Amino acid sequence: MTGIPQIKIIFDRRKKASAVTTGTVEVEVSYNRERVRLSTGVAVLKQQWQGNQVVNHPEAGRLNDQIRRVYDGIREKMSSIASQRVSTYPL
């Protein structure tokens, strides 16, 4: 039996972010004990990240939109794959 893919936003996976060094924002997909991380192209300082979004940054709105587009694109693709599987294997 296969599980349900989990998609989440990860900040500073390598633990390098500080007040002067940026950390990257990635989207992680976990499925059947395997993980794939995809870059969002966003990197911010530690104090510019809170929860799952960019804050205290002059481009916060644009960067959050960029993260959301990557996240939503992956979620859409996963839904598409799941619906193709269901239509391929009818009950």
Side-chain angles (χ1 to χ4, degrees):
M1 182 166 174
T2 60
I4 298 171
Q6 301 295 312
I7 305 169
K8 61 184 173 179
I9 297 170
I10 304 291
F11 172 67
D12 192 30
R13 177 174 54 92
R14 293 189 174 106
K15 306 291 185 226
K16 293 185 178 185
S18 70
V20 293
T21 305
T22 59
T24 59
V25 180
E26 301 169 309
V27 176
E28 180 180 270
V29 180
S30 303
Y31 182 68
N32 286 343
R33 296 187 182 146
E34 292 187 36
R35 285 187 206 143
V36 175
R37 293 176 196 94
L38 302 162
S39 174
T40 62
V42 174
V44 293
L45 300 172
K46 190 171 189 168
Q47 67 271 20
Q48 294 173 326
W49 184 259
Q50 185 176 8
N52 271 344
Q53 65 182 358
V54 178
V55 297
N56 302 323
H57 188 285
E59 298 284 328
R62 183 184 63 77
L63 296 174
N64 286 323
D65 286 344
Q66 186 173 334
I67 295 165
R68 183 60 50 198
R69 278 195 305 273
V70 173
Y71 181 90
D72 289 346
I74 293 168
R75 197 178 68 200
E76 238 176 72
K77 188 67 175 170
M78 298 304 285
S79 294
S80 173
I81 291 168
S83 67
Q84 286 175 358
R85 264 194 204 150
V86 169
S87 64
T88 305
Y89 302 106
L91 296 178

